[in-house]
Amino acid sequence: MSDGQVFPHATGAALATVERHQESQDLVFYAGWFCPYVQRTWIALEERGIPYQYKEVNPYKKEKHFLAINPKGLVPAIEYKGQALYESLILSEFLEDAYPEYTPRLLPSDPFQKAQVRLQIDYIGKNVIPAFMRTVQAQQIEKQQEGLKDLYAGLKQVSERVKGPFFLGEEFSLADVALAPWVVRDYIVAEHRGYKREEVGGGWKEYAEHIEKRESVLKTTSESQHYDVIYGRYLRDEAQSEAAKAIRAGRPIP
């Protein structure tokens, strides 16, 4: 593998998880180990102990069968009893409905709390993740600082809503899942863009530490040196993913 290629499979704890999920199941999980959106759904699967078969999708050579499942060619996607679905948060909510007997649930039964979780997820998607990506892709110092300022502001608002140690208190929910992959990857902005968790304020550092130590998060995280190759492209603003193109064009991330 050259430095310009994505490592072909998960490593570390994530590889051990992949190896435990190779047997045929009703639910087939099409994934890319490196993708933060994939990790969202993967965390949900592991958190709830739902049986699934893991299948890695080669981002440079997508099989016809996978493209038939998701014409966008994006991971994550699933096949469930022969039917196809995609989009990370939709998949996570689908798992709540399709596997009600598996616990813990990631959406609370109380309607008001459920709405609060969905509002938090919406805020993360519209404010935190775009700021993270703008900060990573920015090439000019002033643009990096502008992105970092927005990232700090977004994360502070997130943390101020946290009841602790997780968003709903003791209960780990989809609001935490939605953000966890970027917590795992925040060392990228720390090493290259001057980000510091303690500078966010509002209890963010403590919240992030609880998130990254969650078993389901650890079990779906690969070794950092392999993320470095991928994020090097974003740091140089050379990435050609749909997310990178959207950030470059000033459009919402698809």
Side-chain angles (χ1 to χ4, degrees):
M1 184 193 78
S2 71
D3 287 344
Q5 292 179 315
V6 173
F7 201 74
H9 57 74
T11 57
L15 177 58
T17 303
V18 168
E19 290 173 342
R20 288 194 295 270
H21 291 278
Q22 292 302 299
E23 293 184 6
S24 179
Q25 300 288 349
D26 285 342
L27 190 149
V28 182
F29 178 47
Y30 291 90
W33 66 267
F34 53 87
C35 175
Y37 296 97
V38 164
Q39 192 174 12
R40 278 175 163 175
T41 307
W42 203 2
I43 289 168
L45 285 164
E46 284 296 316
E47 188 70 30
R48 301 190 59 222
I50 293 170
Y52 65 94
Q53 181 182 11
Y54 182 102
K55 286 194 177 183
E56 188 74 34
V57 175
N58 185 329
Y60 298 108
K61 190 178 180 181
K62 295 164 184 172
E63 297 177 359
K64 288 183 179 179
H65 181 69
F66 174 69
L67 291 173
I69 292 168
N70 184 357
K72 290 183 176 181
L74 301 176
V75 287
I78 66 167
E79 265 187 298
Y80 176 70
K81 298 181 179 180
Q83 295 181 299
L85 285 173
Y86 47 90
E87 300 293 347
S88 64
L89 293 170
I90 291 172
L91 293 178
S92 297
E93 289 215 21
F94 166 78
L95 296 174
E96 294 284 299
D97 296 330
Y99 293 89
E101 71 276 22
Y102 285 83
T103 55
R105 302 295 294 271
L106 294 175
L107 280 174
S109 57
D110 177 77
F112 186 78
Q113 283 193 324
K114 187 181 292 185
Q116 286 183 315
V117 166
R118 287 176 170 149
L119 283 170
Q120 183 81 329
I121 290 169
D122 183 68
Y123 182 83
I124 289 164
K126 290 178 179 176
N127 296 274
V128 176
I129 295 170
F132 182 100
M133 295 303 299
R134 285 198 306 272
T135 304
V136 171
Q137 287 183 228
Q139 300 302 294
Q140 299 175 330
I141 294 295
E142 58 268 27
K143 290 293 184 182
Q144 293 173 7
Q145 292 175 341
E146 181 181 307
L148 194 58
K149 181 180 178 182
D150 290 343
L151 180 59
Y152 282 154
L155 293 176
K156 186 175 182 182
Q157 284 204 41
V158 166
S159 63
E160 286 175 345
R161 299 171 183 173
V162 170
K163 297 173 179 66
F166 301 112
F167 176 65
L168 292 176
E170 295 294 330
E171 181 183 350
F172 188 75
S173 74
L174 201 54
D176 307 300
V177 172
L179 189 55
W182 286 270
V183 173
V184 168
R185 291 159 178 76
D186 73 1
Y187 75 92
I188 298 290
V189 282
E191 291 180 2
H192 298 279
R193 298 294 187 255
Y195 163 85
K196 295 179 181 177
R197 284 181 178 177
E198 55 270 24
E199 290 190 7
V200 174
W204 168 256
K205 184 174 182 291
E206 293 75 16
Y207 174 62
E209 288 172 353
H210 283 295
I211 292 288
E212 68 183 356
K213 292 174 183 175
R214 187 77 176 182
E215 185 180 4
S216 58
V217 176
L218 292 170
K219 288 165 66 176
T220 57
T221 299
S222 284
E223 295 166 341
S224 62
Q225 66 265 32
H226 301 301
Y227 291 124
D228 290 342
V229 174
I230 295 159
Y231 281 90
R233 300 175 185 176
Y234 289 88
L235 289 163
R236 298 187 298 272
D237 198 19
E238 297 172 354
Q240 294 302 315
S241 70
E242 295 305 312
K245 291 175 184 177
I247 290 295
R248 203 172 288 129
R251 293 185 279 104
I253 297 174

